[in-house]
Amino acid sequence: MKRLIFLGPPGAGKGTQALILSDLYQIPHISTGDILRAAVKAETTLGIKARNYMDAGELVPDDLILDLIKERLSQTDTQKGWILDGFPRNVSQAAFLEKLLQELQLAADYVLNLEVPDEILVERLLARNRKDDNEITIRRRLEVYHQDTVPVISFYSDRGRLKAVNGNNSLEGVTTALKAIIDQT
Ligand code: ADP
């Protein structure tokens, strides 16, 4: 049973590493960014509401995300565990998740924080060529990250739950470091 929360700035490689580990440990990869992008593409009610926030590099409002996560974590495939990527992204989402997991009588095993310096992130994001990856949006996403998401790191470190991993390393190097922590127990 592995329940993992991935934290880290945009461009840290959370999605890439989450996919690799999801395959390795055979647990679902739950990416709120992927869920939202699929909703935008399919022009669902959620997608239509989320789109402008995403294009501007802002977080979408919590009321669009919280029910979605609750529903996703209640599906049967999550019994073996999961990797959360892109959630929680602010302290109110983190508090919501704590409460939800208590209700489900679960606790996350590890909160893994991928650390990468800002100047490297901008380079990586510009190279990625996603629709919301232009320089202005990228700078805004990094600002929002520092303002809203960095406090989530303290939320978990205050509770003694955080494990930091250097994300400024080769893809394989990062995977190895993550596995070493996850396999500890
Ligand atoms: P990145 O790869 O840059 O970290 P994601 O794919 O995780 O980005 O998310 C893309 C966009 O989706 C974010 O910029 C934000 O607008 C929205 N988003 C994703 N997850 C959340 C969340 N938990 N709360 C609010 N907005 C979110």
Side-chain angles (χ1 to χ4, degrees):
M1 170 71 71
K2 306 279 178 205
R3 285 183 293 263
L4 313 171
I5 296 175
F6 272 28
L7 298 180
K14 296 188 297 290
T16 309
Q17 296 295 335
L19 266 178
I20 294 171
L21 297 176
S22 143
D23 196 48
L24 187 69
Y25 295 111
Q26 291 292 300
I27 49 178
H29 168 213
I30 303 175
S31 156
T32 44
D34 285 353
I35 295 171
L36 289 169
R37 275 186 291 279
V40 169
K41 203 167 165 210
E43 299 183 354
T44 64
T45 316
L46 169 68
I48 291 163
K49 287 184 185 160
R51 185 188 179 145
N52 288 341
Y53 295 100
M54 295 172 75
D55 285 347
E58 304 292 337
L59 296 185
V60 309
D62 283 357
D63 63 334
L64 297 185
I65 289 283
L66 299 182
D67 284 349
L68 185 152
I69 280 291
K70 184 171 183 174
E71 209 175 288
R72 185 64 189 87
L73 289 182
S74 309
Q75 283 171 23
T76 48
D77 67 336
T78 59
Q79 277 164 9
K80 289 181 295 177
W82 35 255
I83 302 176
L84 268 186
D85 161 18
F87 186 96
R89 239 185 174 84
N90 59 32
V91 169
S92 80
Q93 292 181 4
F96 174 88
L97 181 63
E98 287 286 292
K99 214 172 130 236
L100 173 64
L101 293 178
Q102 262 171 26
E103 277 167 25
L104 298 171
Q105 296 189 310
L106 300 173
D109 299 308
Y110 292 109
V111 181
L112 300 157
N113 187 35
L114 276 184
E115 298 177 339
V116 180
D118 273 8
E119 59 276 14
I120 307 268
L121 297 171
V122 176
E123 266 174 46
R124 285 193 188 175
L125 290 167
L126 281 172
R128 189 163 77 171
N129 250 328
R130 205 171 72 192
K131 182 168 167 282
D132 56 348
D133 282 343
N134 64 69
E135 188 152 3
I136 295 172
T137 313
I138 287 171
R139 300 255 174 232
R140 181 61 194 148
R141 295 225 302 278
L142 285 175
E143 270 173 31
V144 170
Y145 170 75
H146 285 288
Q147 184 187 304
D148 293 339
T149 312
V150 167
V152 177
I153 299 173
S154 321
F155 179 96
Y156 289 115
S157 63
D158 289 350
R159 287 163 177 74
R161 310 256 302 280
L162 195 79
K163 304 269 182 190
V165 174
N166 178 14
N168 190 14
N169 199 339
S170 69
L171 207 150
E172 295 79 11
V174 177
T175 308
T176 305
L178 289 167
K179 270 166 51 186
I181 295 173
I182 298 166
D183 291 338
Q184 250 167 32
T185 50

